[in-house]
Amino acid sequence: MDVIRVGIADLAAAAAPGRIRTAGLGSCVGIVLYDGRHKIGGMAHIMLPDSGQARGDVQAAKFADTAVPELIRRMEALGAHRSRLVAKLAGGAHMFQQVRSEALKIGERNVEAARAALRAHDIPILAEDTGGTLGRTIELDLEDGTLYVRTAQNGEQAL
Amino acid sequence: MRPFSAFELDVLREIGNIGAAHATTSLSKLTGTRVDMSVPVARVLSFAEIGMLIGEETVYAATFLLFDGELKGSIVLLFRPEAAKALLRLLLPGVVDDERPSFTELEWSALQEIGNILAGSYLSALSDLTGLKVSPSVPGVALDMGPSILVYGLLEAGRVSDHAVVIDARLYGSGQSIGGQLFLLPAPDALAALFQALGVQAHGRD
């Protein structure tokens, strides 16, 4: 089976059959969109909440607020319908809690920004596995929209 | 981020060389065994490439430390779990439980101290070299996938660029499988400060 890999600050969209996967989400958030009617899915591995904080050129996939519209655009180009899109979220952990730094609490802000971006585009969130202290690897099955979430220490669950 | 000249990358590698050599010496003293290091590499990588560099899902026992002051950035130490156990056996003879894949609280605090000492010697070498003041945070520890760890050192770079400067060296012990990887991830603003402190003219292509 084809597995499309999404790197850090990267995104991809595709139609079934196959899977889309991104590995090692720490404070980053995996935003997953799916159109079940047309079996088209998309995934972004965002690193930061808001492109407004960026200096210089903006790479859409790096920020929650720019990744969502870019994912929608890519999925529509494949034939997905905006009104049918649903979302799942995973990631946004807070690792290294011993380090006292507001900057490292970015995971929570990433999750909030992802929720806000989805709300702004009227996309409902069907499921979430966010927060905590563990990194996650996620894989979307384009056939049925199932999102498999795996951690290094606690195995796999399906969302 | 502007591209760096070959000369500037050489300067960064030399900084990594001096810092990592001090860290290696500390690890050697701490464990009472000989520890060697590879020649460090300094490069500019995209975030996706950084993920690939350490294996997308490879699990590491890691220490992570932020530094602040006249230079900003982070130092990350990655050990494969079995290598971390081997290291801990040298430090805490008779206490380390090899059968357990997880780490006890005592083992974690020993790893945290290893991170503290290695990063501390790296940074004091950096500080001596540049005359710049650097203050390290308490180190954090985690057992997790490589990219999820390293990304914490890339957040500053992420705000200004799609690439980051990565200076890394491998550490390995003779006869003991205590190998690890030591990363210096300078924040983007720190690079200009480093070059200025060392009298390197910016003759990169802007």
Side-chain angles (χ1 to χ4, degrees):
Chain A
M1 186 179 19
D2 282 350
V3 178
I4 299 166
R5 290 172 175 276
V6 172
I8 299 170
D10 185 17
L11 60 76
R19 290 185 168 205
I20 309 178
R21 157 197 182 84
T22 196
L25 291 163
S27 58
C28 295
V29 171
I31 302 176
V32 174
L33 301 186
Y34 189 65
D35 173 344
R37 170 82 169 275
H38 300 94
K39 299 192 174 183
I40 293 167
M43 182 183 290
H45 183 140
I46 64 110
M47 192 178 169
L48 293 164
D50 180 5
S51 60
Q53 307 171 319
R55 291 183 262 160
D57 288 340
V58 168
Q59 187 188 18
K62 195 161 56 183
F63 302 95
D65 64 328
T66 46
V68 168
E70 178 63 14
L71 266 185
I72 296 171
R73 197 183 65 74
R74 298 265 195 107
M75 291 172 68
E76 282 181 333
L78 294 171
H81 284 196
R82 184 183 290 246
S83 62
R84 295 191 178 277
L85 295 180
V86 293
K88 292 180 183 177
L89 294 179
H94 182 201
M95 295 159 65
F96 305 116
Q97 294 187 2
Q98 306 95 330
V99 185
R100 293 210 182 131
S101 158
E102 281 304 308
L104 295 193
K105 293 183 186 165
I106 190 81
E108 195 183 320
R109 295 201 291 279
N110 281 335
V111 173
E112 279 165 15
R115 287 182 193 139
L118 292 166
R119 198 160 50 235
H121 291 87
D122 288 322
I123 300 173
I125 300 171
L126 288 197
E128 257 192 45
D129 178 25
T130 55
T133 59
L134 298 178
R136 297 167 173 92
T137 286
I138 59 173
E139 195 164 303
L140 170 69
D141 188 339
L142 292 164
E143 203 57 58
D144 60 7
T146 306
L147 186 67
Y148 297 92
V149 182
R150 194 159 59 245
T151 64
Q153 298 180 39
N154 294 340
E156 185 174 88
Q157 60 160 325
L159 287 187
Chain B
M1 183 181 297
R2 68 181 173 84
F4 292 101
S5 66
F7 177 66
E8 287 171 316
L9 287 175
D10 279 347
V11 169
L12 293 176
R13 190 186 57 202
E14 190 49 27
I15 286 168
N17 200 20
I18 292 165
H22 280 77
T24 305
T25 305
S26 302
L27 186 59
S28 199
K29 280 186 189 152
L30 200 62
T31 56
T33 61
R34 182 170 164 187
V35 182
D36 292 308
M37 70 168 199
S38 68
V39 177
V41 183
R43 50 197 155 182
V44 179
L45 296 173
S46 73
F47 299 126
E49 287 170 326
I50 293 167
M52 303 292 180
L53 185 69
I54 45 169
E56 284 199 308
E57 281 186 82
T58 309
V59 172
Y60 296 94
T63 76
F64 175 92
L65 178 149
L66 283 175
F67 56 90
D68 206 339
E70 292 175 308
L71 285 177
K72 288 180 195 205
S74 48
I75 290 189
V76 186
L77 250 176
L78 298 181
F79 296 103
R80 295 305 312 278
E82 58 279 11
K85 288 273 183 179
L87 190 54
L88 290 167
R89 262 198 309 274
L90 292 172
L91 277 179
L92 307 166
V95 177
V96 175
D97 184 349
D98 291 320
E99 302 306 313
R100 285 165 51 108
S102 60
F103 292 77
T104 63
E105 210 162 305
L106 177 66
E107 290 169 345
W108 276 129
S109 60
L111 268 181
Q112 196 176 8
E113 192 49 27
I114 290 169
N116 200 25
I117 290 169
L118 265 67
S121 30
Y122 200 124
L123 290 174
S124 69
L126 211 64
S127 193
D128 289 347
L129 186 69
T130 57
L132 297 172
K133 288 200 186 74
V134 182
S135 55
S137 74
V138 171
V141 287
L143 179 68
D144 219 314
M145 293 175 271
S148 68
I149 293 161
L150 272 194
V151 82
Y152 281 94
L154 306 174
L155 297 171
E156 285 293 320
R159 289 182 214 285
V160 296
S161 170
D162 300 325
H163 294 77
V165 170
V166 177
I167 305 167
D168 63 303
R170 279 174 185 278
L171 312 181
Y172 47 95
S174 53
Q176 301 276 351
S177 53
I178 58 172
Q181 292 177 76
L182 179 56
F183 290 84
L184 173 67
L185 304 168
D189 295 344
L191 294 163
L194 271 176
F195 289 139
Q196 200 187 356
L198 296 170
V200 178
Q201 299 296 320
H203 46 208
R205 299 135 290 168
D206 239 320

